[in-house]
Amino acid sequence: MKNIKIIGIAISISLVFEIIFNYAFPKLDLQRSLYSFLFHGFILIACIFIAVNFKNPSFSRIYNFKKGLVISIFFSLFLSLYFFSYHKWIKPELLESKRILLIELTEKPETIIDAKEKINVNPDFYSGKSAEDLVEMQQDNINNLLKPGKVFPMSLFSFLFIGMLFTVIISFLKYLFRNKIK
């Protein structure tokens, strides 16, 4: 029951943040997704920390890992579904605008210079590739990744990974310091 409350609070905070963030800063810039991701990652970590450390008498690493994993799964799934819905139906032009901005960045002369430097630093890895090939591959990746169907698994995996990693760390630290906590 406590996990459900924590998951509900985490999802509510994240949704309120998204609503405020999207209406307060309607202009698209490339850091917007990063700020959103960092905020949601922090909320997930904070909720796992609270669930494992407060009003939880168990020092079992497995029990605490399960608790954090359940929170991570539900939080990640719900938030990823929200991102998919947002980019698919609510504001589909957002990903298209971001795609155009990123493609424009790859068309700048500095991108070709950076690609040539990468080839010079590691010629064996880029054998047979020109700087133009690298830029074209980057543009193909941008075109393939910035679709609602790709946003869902990327955000799901990212939040699950963060949740699992910090669950392991927090559970281990609680177990390690169990004598000091009692």
Side-chain angles (χ1 to χ4, degrees), residues 50-90:
I50 290 168
V52 170
N53 287 314
F54 297 105
K55 294 187 180 177
N56 179 13
S58 176
F59 289 99
S60 168
R61 290 170 289 193
I62 294 173
Y63 176 79
N64 288 329
F65 180 74
K66 285 180 187 177
K67 192 173 213 172
L69 190 58
V70 167
I71 291 170
S72 297
I73 289 169
F74 283 104
F75 180 85
S76 302
L77 188 61
F78 189 85
L79 212 55
S80 297
L81 285 171
Y82 167 78
F83 286 145
F84 174 78
S85 301
Y86 185 78
H87 293 302
K88 181 80 173 175
W89 296 296
I90 298 172

Side-chain angles (χ1 to χ4, degrees), residues 49-61 63-64 67 167-182:
F49 182 80
I50 290 168
V52 170
N53 287 314
F54 297 105
K55 294 187 180 177
N56 179 13
S58 176
F59 289 99
S60 168
R61 290 170 289 193
Y63 176 79
N64 288 329
K67 192 173 213 172
T167 297
V168 167
I169 292 169
I170 292 167
S171 298
F172 181 74
L173 288 174
K174 182 173 181 178
Y175 177 78
L176 192 65
F177 294 113
R178 68 186 175 274
N179 294 332
K180 294 181 182 182
I181 297 173
K182 288 181 182 179

Side-chain angles (χ1 to χ4, degrees), residues 117-132:
E117 287 176 14
K118 285 182 180 181
I119 291 171
N120 289 337
V121 169
N122 199 350
D124 293 335
F125 184 75
Y126 297 107
S127 177
K129 302 258 192 253
S130 68
E132 291 77 15

Side-chain angles (χ1 to χ4, degrees), residues 10-70:
I11 290 170
S12 299
I13 291 171
S14 290
L15 287 178
V16 168
F17 171 81
E18 280 295 318
I19 291 167
I20 292 170
F21 193 64
N22 289 328
Y23 286 107
F25 303 104
K27 187 167 170 72
L28 174 72
D29 69 345
L30 296 176
Q31 289 78 25
R32 182 180 189 169
S33 297
L34 176 65
Y35 298 143
S36 179
F37 180 77
L38 290 174
F39 179 82
H40 298 306
F42 172 76
I43 293 299
L44 177 59
I45 292 166
C47 288
I48 292 169
F49 182 80
I50 290 168
V52 170
N53 287 314
F54 297 105
K55 294 187 180 177
N56 179 13
S58 176
F59 289 99
S60 168
R61 290 170 289 193
I62 294 173
Y63 176 79
N64 288 329
F65 180 74
K66 285 180 187 177
K67 192 173 213 172
L69 190 58
V70 167

